[in-house]
Amino acid sequence: MGLQETIKENLICVSCKNSIERTTISDESIKCDSCKVNYPLINNISVIINEAESIFSFSDFINQKNLFFDISKKGNSISYLSKVILPSIGGNNLGKKNFKFLENSLLNNKSQNKPKVLVIGGSIVGDGMADFVNSENLEIVEGDVSFGPRTKIIFDAHSIPYKDQSFDCIIAQAVLEHVIDPMKCVREIHRVLKPNGIVYAETPFMQQVHGGPYDFTRYSHSGHRKLFQNFTEIKSGATAGSGAALAWSYQYFLLALFGYNKTMKLLIKFFARLTGFWIKYFDYLTQCNVRDNDGASGFYFIGTKSDKQLSDKELINYYFKAKK
Ligand SMILES: [Zn+2]
């Protein structure tokens, strides 16, 4: 069994940047013919990371260490069960609609082939993304830094192992808060997008720490726009409003007061969900209102790759324009 053609196409070595699309692939590894780095192949999933620069190592994946999401244990843990049976405290109200919009935009733009999409953080199907990633009209490559049911390739978003202009679209849903250097990751996204390629990002603003040691950054609506300064905006806005933000705060407030140990933390999460799930429904009243940009739980950004950079002056006007 070899690597899927879709995964191999335009693949580069993240160490020397030469092509490894047609390089030596054995059952256990992909060897870069230029710099001789051996990238492990685990259950036919290639691990293309630059060990010298990444916080991850080959051994993390060879030992199948739990790095971010522990997918394997989710099925039998009580916390996972609570997520399935109890209402959530906050969610994503626009994901499904946005992904439909995205698919339509890609299909309208397409030249001859199926639009090729890279999903960063794609080990599991994200909120509202199911129809999109299963669409027969799109060629999807799902990459992550953890093994999950959907992981096709392991890579670090700071060095995307693909040639310039390889993709029509890149998705980063709830990813950029978990990377060390979001600017660098967005530069990589820009590099591997084709001209006029589309980026879709969802990033939290008023959300407490999730993902333990792998949670670093938050963005305001304007901050998120600055991050994508080399893109032309198609649209942007809150994915969940200040209602969801309040519900999250309620849960983390209770955790700070009473979350002494694992059992208490679990009980509080149960309690917060049971008693606080309704707060998020206020988002239906406010979310379409741009006032919520100042207190929303998180934002999405959809934009096309551009050669022009948004100036800082334009960024200041952007705040007022978004409020109109
Ligand atoms: Zn190399």
Side-chain angles (χ1 to χ4, degrees):
M1 212 160 82
L3 270 186
Q4 269 176 32
E5 277 305 315
T6 330
I7 311 293
K8 270 198 303 192
E9 191 187 17
N10 291 339
L11 203 59
I12 58 165
C13 167
V14 284
S15 186
C16 71
K17 311 291 178 197
N18 281 311
S19 174
I20 49 170
E21 190 174 2
R22 300 272 164 254
T23 194
T24 322
I25 299 180
S26 71
D27 287 344
E28 285 103 37
S29 68
I30 299 179
K31 189 175 180 181
C32 172
D33 291 336
S34 311
C35 74
K36 313 294 177 203
V37 172
N38 252 317
Y39 294 105
L41 203 57
I42 301 158
N43 301 325
N44 214 33
I45 296 170
S46 50
V47 180
I48 315 281
I49 54 162
N50 185 346
E51 277 198 307
E53 287 178 5
S54 178
I55 54 170
F56 303 108
S57 313
F58 291 144
S59 61
D60 294 335
F61 300 100
I62 292 165
N63 302 326
Q64 308 222 0
K65 205 170 114 186
N66 167 30
L67 293 167
F68 187 63
F69 287 117
D70 196 349
I71 307 284
S72 56
K73 284 187 186 159
K74 267 191 170 174
N76 48 31
S77 80
I78 303 168
S79 73
Y80 180 63
L81 203 65
S82 78
K83 279 179 189 167
V84 175
I85 57 173
L86 294 178
S88 73
I89 52 164
N92 179 332
N93 305 340
L94 281 176
K96 209 173 169 181
K97 204 173 139 197
N98 279 341
F99 282 105
K100 192 74 221 157
F101 172 84
L102 205 57
E103 186 178 353
N104 289 338
S105 310
L106 286 169
L107 295 177
N108 288 339
N109 284 348
K110 79 166 184 172
S111 44
Q112 65 278 51
N113 300 322
K114 277 186 184 179
K116 196 169 177 181
V117 183
L118 179 67
V119 184
I120 303 178
S123 63
I124 50 169
V125 176
D127 277 343
M129 221 193 268
D131 290 347
F132 185 84
V133 291
N134 291 315
S135 169
E136 288 187 352
N137 303 318
L138 306 170
E139 226 173 64
I140 306 276
V141 176
E142 287 146 314
D144 211 322
V145 286
S146 61
F147 292 104
R150 309 281 308 202
T151 307
K152 305 288 189 311
I153 177 170
I154 297 270
F155 68 84
D156 183 325
H158 296 85
S159 312
I160 300 178
Y162 285 98
K163 284 179 193 160
D164 298 359
Q165 307 188 6
S166 293
F167 294 92
D168 297 280
C169 177
I170 298 193
I171 311 284
Q173 184 188 57
V175 166
L176 294 170
E177 74 271 32
H178 299 299
V179 301
I180 296 278
D181 186 348
M183 276 281 185
K184 188 173 179 195
C185 296
V186 174
R187 278 198 301 274
E188 277 292 273
I189 289 174
H190 191 272
R191 179 184 66 78
V192 298
L193 271 176
K194 291 178 186 171
N196 293 317
I198 304 179
V199 67
Y200 178 81
E202 280 180 22
T203 318
F205 176 39
M206 289 291 153
Q207 258 180 35
Q208 282 75 2
V209 167
H210 55 276
Y214 301 103
D215 191 346
F216 309 104
T217 323
R218 295 293 179 273
Y219 288 96
S220 66
H221 186 243
S222 296
H224 206 218
R225 181 69 190 92
K226 169 76 182 166
L227 185 61
F228 292 96
Q229 61 190 353
N230 292 309
F231 292 81
T232 306
E233 179 171 318
I234 298 175
K235 59 179 185 166
S236 70
T239 45
S242 45
L246 182 60
W248 272 67
S249 294
Y250 166 64
Q251 178 179 304
Y252 278 77
F253 169 68
L254 292 174
L255 283 169
L257 282 177
F258 307 114
Y260 317 111
N261 53 41
K262 267 189 169 173
T263 316
M264 282 303 286
K265 281 183 189 163
L266 205 59
L267 286 173
I268 287 163
K269 282 181 186 170
F270 260 84
F271 180 79
R273 276 167 178 262
L274 277 173
T275 58
F277 72 91
W278 53 273
I279 306 173
K280 67 174 183 278
Y281 293 116
F282 281 98
D283 284 349
Y284 288 108
L285 294 177
T286 61
Q287 193 183 290
C288 296
N289 192 323
V290 285
R291 273 202 314 270
D292 218 14
N293 278 6
D294 288 347
S297 175
F299 296 108
Y300 74 89
F301 175 85
I302 307 177
T304 50
K305 175 172 172 168
S306 165
D307 301 328
K308 200 180 148 268
Q309 195 177 81
L310 182 88
S311 74
D312 293 345
K313 275 188 181 136
E314 284 172 308
L315 183 67
I316 300 306
N317 289 330
Y318 176 77
Y319 177 88
F320 297 108
K321 266 199 214 161
K323 294 248 162 187
K324 274 180 192 161

